Amino acid sequence: MAKGILVVDDASFMRMMIKDILTKNGFEVIGEAENGLNAVEKYKELNPELVIMDITMPEMDGIQAVKEIKSIDPNAKIIMCSAMGQQAMVIEAIQAGAKDFIVKPFQHERVIEAVKKALN
């Protein structure tokens, strides 16, 4: 199936939750990062098939990280996560090259649907 997914969120419980949803549905999580800076480093190191990234994080936000990753790999597949009420940032993330977005609190079906769509 998947070559692996990189999960990026500054909240460890959110990473756990996403990882749980993914692994229960047969996807492999090959790495985690707690901010955009780490996400870019991990992307270079792991070359994941997909990145699920939070928008609001310390050190480097998700939008900046999307731009950085896209400059390294124009074909990178990235799904953004956002809390309710971050529409403007979601639009900015999509313009920066994100494939899709999922809204917190996560609905399992929506996460899997977004992942399958991004990987196809």
Side-chain angles (χ1 to χ4, degrees):
M1 209 183 231
K3 280 191 290 190
I5 300 172
L6 174 62
V7 176
V8 186
D9 198 305
D10 55 329
S12 59
F13 75 95
M14 279 295 177
R15 292 197 305 271
M16 287 283 298
M17 207 188 308
I18 297 169
K19 216 161 80 166
D20 193 48
I21 294 169
L22 294 170
T23 52
K24 280 184 176 153
N25 285 276
F27 295 98
E28 187 188 358
V29 175
I30 57 169
E32 292 180 40
E34 65 279 348
N35 61 50
L37 220 52
N38 283 27
V40 175
E41 290 309 308
K42 290 268 188 189
Y43 191 88
K44 288 183 207 168
E45 180 190 322
L46 302 169
N47 191 23
E49 191 171 16
L50 178 68
V51 181
I52 297 180
M53 179 144 17
D54 190 22
I55 290 184
T56 317
M57 296 180 289
E59 290 187 61
M60 180 192 286
D61 69 19
I63 293 167
Q64 195 53 49
V66 167
K67 291 176 182 169
E68 295 271 330
I69 289 171
K70 281 292 198 177
S71 73
I72 299 163
D73 177 5
N75 299 317
K77 294 176 179 168
I78 304 166
I79 297 174
M80 301 307 289
C81 303
S82 74
M84 286 295 203
Q86 290 182 319
Q87 274 76 13
M89 290 178 95
V90 167
I91 291 164
E92 200 182 330
I94 299 288
Q95 288 168 340
K99 289 250 184 256
D100 202 347
F101 71 94
I102 45 182
V103 179
K104 296 174 185 176
F106 300 120
Q107 292 166 315
H108 292 215
E109 302 76 35
R110 177 67 189 110
V111 173
I112 297 307
E113 176 197 328
V115 167
K116 285 180 176 168
K117 198 169 95 180
L119 292 174
N120 286 339

